[in-house]
């Protein structure tokens, strides 16, 4: 029987991986987000469920999409977020974190524009 992964642990692991990829310490992230170091540690370990507001602060501090964190936290429908594309971009070690974020922002802007164009039809 396959083990069921706790969504909180998955969210925390994702945040930790993004923080480590950005080469930001937990203490630095706490300063960037104005969220306490112990609370961030609990989130990364899957002990605490952060609010949407805290997730937005973490996303801003890590320069990643808040929507991707909302989906991982179960706050947004996965169909509403192109996580596969974002993960592929983030997984490309040949790009800097800044380049990855720029590509994701462009991709999301195109999706948003196309959704708006399709809604108008």
């Amino acid at each position: 029987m396959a083990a069921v992964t706790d969504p909180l642990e998955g969210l925390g692991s994702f945040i930790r991986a993004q923080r480590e990829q950005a080469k930001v310490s937990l203490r630095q992230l706490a300063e960037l987000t104005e969220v306490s170091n112990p609370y961030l540690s609990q989130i990364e370990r899957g002990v605490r469920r952060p609010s949407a507001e805290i997730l937005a602060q973490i996303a801003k501090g890590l320069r990643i999409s808040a929507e991707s964190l909302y989906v991982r936290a179960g706050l947004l429908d996965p169909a509403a977020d192109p996580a596969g594309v974002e993960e592929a971009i983030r997984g490309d070690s040949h790009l800097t974190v800044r380049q990855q974020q720029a590509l994701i922002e462009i991709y999301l802007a195109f999706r948003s524009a196309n959704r708006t164009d399709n809604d108008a039809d």
Side-chain angles (χ1 to χ4, degrees):
M1 181 147 107
V4 176
T5 304
D6 181 358
L8 285 180
E9 287 181 25
L11 173 65
S13 295
F14 178 76
I15 291 170
R16 180 181 307 111
Q18 292 302 307
R19 179 178 59 75
E20 289 172 350
Q21 185 176 1
K23 297 183 175 145
V24 174
S25 71
L26 198 58
R27 182 168 287 140
Q28 289 170 321
L29 184 58
E31 290 173 11
L32 289 169
T33 61
E34 298 180 359
V35 176
S36 76
N37 189 339
Y39 189 65
L40 286 172
S41 175
Q42 291 174 343
I43 292 169
E44 284 192 358
R45 290 182 286 128
V47 175
R48 298 286 296 245
R49 178 180 298 280
S51 67
E53 182 180 329
I54 296 295
L55 288 173
Q57 288 172 251
I58 292 170
K60 185 177 179 184
L62 292 174
R63 298 181 180 211
I64 62 173
S65 160
E67 289 79 12
S68 66
L69 293 182
Y70 295 158
V71 168
R72 289 178 182 278
L75 299 174
L76 275 181
D77 178 8
D81 184 54
V85 173
E86 290 184 42
E87 287 180 22
I89 292 169
R90 284 194 187 90
D92 189 335
S93 61
H94 293 68
L95 300 173
T96 66
V97 173
R98 184 171 292 234
Q99 290 168 333
Q100 291 169 355
Q101 186 59 32
L103 283 173
I104 290 168
E105 288 174 8
I106 291 167
Y107 175 71
L108 293 175
F110 282 142
R111 281 186 48 96
S112 177
N114 289 341
R115 185 173 36 249
T116 303
D117 290 346
N118 291 337
D119 291 344
D121 291 340

